[in-house]
Amino acid sequence: MNAGERGSVARVLTAVMTVALALRTGASAQQLTFTPYHAHGIYDLRERVGWHVAVAPGQTAAGTYAYTVKRDGLAVIGRGTLDPSSGHATIEASLDRPGMLLVEVRPPAGTTGFHGASKSEVGRVLLGAAVAPQRIRPSGRRPRDFDAFWTAELRRLDSVPADPLLTPGESGRPDVAYYTIRMNNVGGARVYGQLARPSRQEAGGETFPALLLLQWASPPYPLQRQWVTDYAARGWLVLNVEPHDVPADMPQAFYDALPQLIKSYGLIGRHDRDESYFLPMYLGDYRAAEYLASRVDWDGRTLVVMGTSMGGQQGFAVAGLDPRVTALIANVPAACDLLGPLGGRAAPYPNWDVERPEVRRTAGYFDAVHFAPRIRARALISMGFIDETTPPAGIWAAFNQLPGPKEAVPLVDSPHNHMATPEEVLPYTRRSAAWLDALARGADPTQP
């Protein structure tokens, strides 16, 4: 990667030169600091990747720390120990092929090595770096009939009338109109969600840019009203849909009482593309995007799909299936490079056992890396360098397949979104807000 490419990838990063050893169970004062050779975390092939290790001011080292180095979050390629009592130590590694490095540091045996942590706790710190990330490729090939399969599925969906049913609700804001929505999906399933828009449209006949919000993975849960009303107050026509065939606005007790099977949905039908749980999910998302595009209050120009983790996974699918989508914003998207374990990479959610031939075949039709080449929309994609839920190597592989204007947001110090601090995801928070602001104004967020 040349200097210009590296600068483009890293331009949104805050230049934080010291990474404090952080226990994610809540301890605050730690003994060690790690200063990366490159603050942006991106290196060239065969370049020395490393961190200077030192005792934090006012602290004392607890003893000898052990560390392991993994390539692409899976293959251990190095081990070592650190004794920072002398004042300084280093961790170094390199790669001769594009990929990610993940370092795990553990405290001395018999201790946690952390102030404020009980001796029964096991603490660790993760460090991440990327090596020639814009050259990372998918682990498997797209199925030959990928396009034909999805064309047939969209035709099947089109044969089912959407019959949208809007039910007005209380928005909690005088400038926003709010509704719950229900539409038909394939196989007798339904698409449930919530919609909001600026209420001035009812009087003035204005049109608005559209935003489709897609949800992260979890057993089914209710959608929160402010997820759409906040965007509507800023001028968006916004639709937020459930990934599951359940109403979006029920009491929590309703979701708690659902059968256990649906709470473990990620593995349902992984042996057969026609039975996969993600098939009606992706089709329901496509129907939601098409519904937004059919509304008279859509401006006809801007249709953004946005989501985190499994929401980002769905975003890749919708943007790949629907040419009306003009922008994709995906934060640490899931299901990127599902065949990664076969090529030595850590598995992404939903963690399918792709060693089984039938699962491997099914994965090809739902992998974000195979939707990516179909996407002509602008794309903003983030990846957490120490994310073990949606590993960054697979996300880079999907990002690199995008043919249109795009921007990567490396989150050098961030684990998966639900474990990250606001500071760790600040580059994505800032860039996604800037993108939405530009898109709402009809501007190109990929241009300076």
Side-chain angles (χ1 to χ4, degrees), residues 175-177 196-202 208 231-237:
D175 55 346
V176 170
R197 67 185 186 191
S199 56
R200 66 181 184 269
Q201 189 275 342
E202 296 174 327
F208 306 98
Y231 286 111
R234 288 162 22 208
W236 290 91
L237 165 66

Side-chain angles (χ1 to χ4, degrees), residues 66-80 92-95 97 100-106 124 126 343-346 388:
Y67 69 86
T68 58
V69 182
K70 296 179 182 179
R71 183 184 62 236
D72 293 332
L74 185 63
V76 175
I77 61 171
R79 300 180 187 273
E92 282 195 342
S94 65
L95 289 179
R97 72 186 197 192
M100 300 296 301
L101 285 171
L102 181 68
V103 178
E104 179 182 306
V105 183
R106 290 190 175 272
R124 63 174 187 159
L126 296 178
R345 294 176 186 161
E388 296 178 290

Side-chain angles (χ1 to χ4, degrees), residues 207-210 292-293 295-303 324 326:
T207 60
F208 306 98
L292 280 173
R295 289 180 58 94
V296 297
D297 49 0
W298 178 47
D299 68 8
R301 296 186 304 273
T302 301
L303 176 53
R324 296 178 189 262
T326 60

Side-chain angles (χ1 to χ4, degrees), residues 8 11-12 378-380 404-408 431 434-439 441-448:
S8 174
R11 63 193 173 129
V12 300
R378 301 179 183 95
L380 179 75
K406 59 189 175 182
E407 179 183 335
R431 288 306 296 155
W435 267 58
L436 287 172
D437 179 66
L439 291 165
R441 293 183 285 106
D444 183 352
T446 65
Q447 298 301 313

Side-chain angles (χ1 to χ4, degrees), residues 57-134:
Q59 304 295 324
T60 57
T64 301
Y65 294 74
Y67 69 86
T68 58
V69 182
K70 296 179 182 179
R71 183 184 62 236
D72 293 332
L74 185 63
V76 175
I77 61 171
R79 300 180 187 273
T81 58
L82 300 169
D83 184 0
S85 60
S86 62
H88 297 283
T90 59
I91 299 173
E92 282 195 342
S94 65
L95 289 179
D96 58 6
R97 72 186 197 192
M100 300 296 301
L101 285 171
L102 181 68
V103 178
E104 179 182 306
V105 183
R106 290 190 175 272
T111 73
T112 64
F114 304 106
H115 289 300
S118 72
K119 291 186 178 181
S120 64
E121 294 173 338
V122 178
R124 63 174 187 159
V125 64
L126 296 178
L127 308 168
V131 177
Q134 290 182 324

Side-chain angles (χ1 to χ4, degrees), residues 116-193:
S118 72
K119 291 186 178 181
S120 64
E121 294 173 338
V122 178
R124 63 174 187 159
V125 64
L126 296 178
L127 308 168
V131 177
Q134 290 182 324
R135 295 168 60 184
I136 295 175
R137 312 297 294 175
S139 297
R141 294 181 178 179
R142 177 199 282 196
R144 291 182 179 180
D145 64 343
F146 181 91
D147 291 338
F149 171 75
W150 283 107
T151 296
E153 289 302 316
L154 294 183
R155 188 179 302 119
R156 181 166 71 105
L157 178 65
D158 288 342
S159 71
V160 179
D163 290 339
L165 175 62
L166 285 172
T167 303
E170 176 55 51
S171 72
R173 306 183 67 131
D175 55 346
V176 170
Y178 173 84
Y179 309 84
T180 57
I181 186 171
R182 187 188 74 195
M183 294 182 286
N184 295 326
N185 199 353
V186 294
R190 299 289 180 88
V191 181
Y192 294 93

